[in-house]
Amino acid sequence: MIDFSNGSVFKLNPCDPGELYPQVAPFLIQGEQIVFAFRSVRDFVVFTNKRLIAANVQGITGSKTDFTSLPFNKVQAFSVETAGSLDRDTELDLWYSGLGKIRLEFKRNVDIRQISQMIATYVL
């Protein structure tokens, strides 16, 4: 599982969902669709209409990947932090019962409000 408690060195950048679809397609259920996709150097995060799927590519060759599924219906609370003039990244915090807080950090060019609206649609 991804160690969400450590601050990520690499911020997530938006990417084309079609680029990551082949890697997550085996995990999707009927009717589940990718809404947003983000990647860092090797790891990636996909937001679907049901959950967040975080992929942690492991090892030197990257042949092993850990996929963590975090369903939206288990989110107890969430918050977003927009970019400022000195703090150039945006952040999303999700609180899960039994798991605690999950923090994702995005590059400044990510529209965190759009992500917040999508999560609110599925959580509220």
Side-chain angles (χ1 to χ4, degrees), residues 51-121:
R51 60 187 158 161
L52 166 73
I53 300 172
N56 179 11
V57 179
Q58 302 173 352
I60 295 171
T61 63
S63 60
K64 182 177 177 181
T65 304
D66 173 72
F67 291 91
T68 301
S69 176
L70 302 161
F72 292 137
N73 65 359
K74 301 297 182 195
V75 172
Q76 293 183 317
F78 68 96
S79 71
V80 295
E81 182 177 302
T82 60
S85 55
L86 296 176
D87 186 12
R88 301 184 58 97
D89 60 340
T90 60
E91 298 169 357
L92 168 67
D93 290 333
L94 301 163
W95 281 268
Y96 284 88
S97 176
L99 187 59
K101 182 172 78 170
I102 305 297
R103 172 169 280 177
L104 298 173
E105 296 180 6
F106 301 90
K107 291 243 177 153
R108 181 184 189 106
N109 62 340
V110 172
D111 186 354
I112 197 71
R113 290 176 183 97
Q114 196 175 27
I115 296 171
S116 175
Q117 287 178 344
M118 187 239 5
I119 291 172
T121 299

Side-chain angles (χ1 to χ4, degrees), residues 20-30 32 34 51 53 67:
L20 300 176
Y21 181 79
Q23 293 165 304
V24 296
F27 302 105
L28 301 179
I29 62 172
Q30 186 174 359
E32 187 174 16
I34 297 174
R51 60 187 158 161
I53 300 172
F67 291 91

